[in-house]
Amino acid sequence: MQLSFDAEVEDFRAEFAAFLDEHLPPAAEADRASQSSSDVPEWARRWQRLQFDHGWLLPGNPPEYGGRDATLVQQYVHLLELSRRRIYHSFNPQGVGIVAASLLSFGTEEQKRRWAVPILRAEITASLGMSEPGAGSDLASLRTRAVLDGDHFVVNGQKVWTSGAHDADVLLTFVRTDPDAPKHKGISVLLIPTATPGVTRRPFASIIGSHDVDFNEVFFEDVRVPAANLVGPLNEGWRVANGSLGHERTLLWLSFGERLDEFIRDFEPAGPLDEDAYATAVLDAYALRLLGSAALAQAARGEQDVAGLSVLKLLGSEAAQRALERALSSAGPDGLAHPALTAPYTHLQSETMLGSWFERYARSFAGTIAGGTSEIQRTIVAERVLGLPRR
């Protein structure tokens, strides 16, 4: 296996690195930043717009949508460069990486012009309305209803854990439009402007919500949504969900080895990890990097190994969680306040790599839940890799 990139990819990386060196906003320009779409400051909007204009926001997109038709491997090194510098390319990650991507894949030309481009250019923000009480990892169990009434849908129901909804301009909302169809078949997707009468957003804190309130409950009470806001075919929302999440998941899961390596850099030689735990984290990082390289090469050839990605997601998320759990345990009471980094905080750094050991450990559960829980990944591996029966 060749664990390196060819000259064309390295030239691509160097060009992006030069762009970052020249254009990163100065730290004095901003206050402490958040990872959600909430309270996006003007400098962050300018930063995202600058990347869009130069083709660096989502390099896999065509130029008119903030990219430069980059290959999958080039997109991967773009992600790695951001990760190594611990910076954001957008402070509305769901809007850019999922909502706009869904519109570009499944939306009409009018929807792309009216919604996708303004989201990518940071003129508006967007949030993703998927999870509901009783329909978290099992999205197909959602109950929010949308009934067609003339040229509008009437929506009733509730969403929860909706990150950034309280400051979003529009929600990409998954609704049930055919209650009699099998649960994976009767789902549709609507763009619902948050200013629409009947939409109520209630933000709430989490155990790690000391800096920003991000989660929301969202209630829909007889909300009238134009039928023109239907994204993709009626009752084909499950295909939209898989398409919009799949590409983003693939790149993130491929990079688990590099991300664990970032964690390891923060473990000081004298602690908070003992030698055995430190060695385990290093070996996990190398193993994940090798698995990720093989999966990346496979994906670049146009092959998709869903079960292989489940192995990566399962091992990567749990390896990071184990390392952080050991770090917190070793740090003891100091873990409640111990800074993860000795370097100063900068306004573009990712909060997931900062904070106390407790905050970082608590955040690690997002990795073992979001995008399919560890239990779901184990089921996929059992059935598709090991060939075990469904029950």
Side-chain angles (χ1 to χ4, degrees), residues 48 70 73 110 120 135 155 158 161 173 253 263 301 345 378:
Q48 181 174 318
V73 177
E110 169 63 16
L120 293 170
V155 181
Q158 177 187 357
W161 313 114
T173 311
W253 295 357
F263 288 144
R301 294 193 298 268
Y345 180 92
R378 282 187 168 84

Side-chain angles (χ1 to χ4, degrees), residues 37-38 125-127 158-159 162-171 192-204 213-221:
S37 58
S38 59
T125 56
S127 184
Q158 177 187 357
K159 298 293 178 180
T162 314
S163 296
H166 56 301
D167 286 308
D169 298 295
V170 65
L171 303 174
I192 303 180
T194 55
T196 307
V199 177
T200 302
R201 295 165 287 169
R202 295 180 183 170
F204 60 90
V213 174
D214 184 46
F215 290 139
N216 288 258
E217 293 178 299
V218 183
F219 299 90
F220 305 95
E221 186 174 356

Side-chain angles (χ1 to χ4, degrees), residues 58-287:
L58 293 175
N61 286 359
E64 62 268 29
Y65 297 122
R68 49 183 61 206
D69 293 317
T71 66
L72 180 64
V73 177
Q74 290 173 329
Q75 294 172 63
Y76 179 72
V77 299
H78 172 268
L79 178 65
L80 291 188
E81 196 65 28
L82 290 172
S83 177
R84 287 168 179 168
R85 292 172 182 249
R86 303 182 182 225
I87 58 176
Y88 293 125
H89 71 307
S90 168
F91 288 84
N92 183 203
Q94 286 189 341
V96 169
I98 299 177
V99 178
S102 298
L103 294 175
L104 296 182
S105 297
F106 300 98
T108 65
E109 291 304 313
E110 169 63 16
Q111 289 171 344
K112 295 175 186 179
R113 182 194 63 79
R114 182 180 177 187
W115 301 105
V117 171
I119 291 169
L120 293 170
R121 288 183 52 80
E123 294 163 359
I124 62 175
T125 56
S127 184
L128 183 65
M130 277 189 164
S131 297
E132 299 181 2
S137 295
D138 184 14
L139 173 65
S141 296
L142 66 85
R143 297 181 180 179
T144 294
R145 288 286 307 278
V147 178
L148 189 61
D149 180 21
D151 59 355
H152 282 71
F153 286 96
V154 180
V155 181
N156 286 276
Q158 177 187 357
K159 298 293 178 180
V160 72
W161 313 114
T162 314
S163 296
H166 56 301
D167 286 308
D169 298 295
V170 65
L171 303 174
L172 186 73
T173 311
F174 288 73
V175 296
R176 186 161 299 284
T177 45
D178 185 352
D180 298 322
K183 67 179 187 177
H184 290 84
K185 300 293 185 182
I187 297 172
S188 299
V189 185
L190 294 175
L191 281 166
I192 303 180
T194 55
T196 307
V199 177
T200 302
R201 295 165 287 169
R202 295 180 183 170
F204 60 90
S206 71
I207 193 172
I208 52 174
S210 57
H211 305 307
D212 298 280
V213 174
D214 184 46
F215 290 139
N216 288 258
E217 293 178 299
V218 183
F219 299 90
F220 305 95
E221 186 174 356
D222 293 330
V223 177
R224 296 187 64 83
V225 181
N229 287 20
L230 176 69
V231 179
L234 185 69
N235 297 324
E236 292 291 331
W238 190 252
R239 184 163 66 91
V240 177
N242 287 330
S244 61
L245 294 177
H247 184 63
E248 189 79 359
R249 285 177 178 174
T250 298
L251 286 175
L252 288 173
W253 295 357
L254 287 174
S255 67
F256 260 124
E258 299 289 344
R259 293 159 70 193
L260 183 57
D261 192 53
E262 292 293 329
F263 288 144
I264 293 169
R265 295 184 195 180
D266 299 336
F267 300 147
E268 300 170 7
L273 287 182
D274 59 39
E275 290 182 356
D276 288 345
Y278 186 87
T280 298
V282 171
L283 290 172
D284 284 342
Y286 272 96

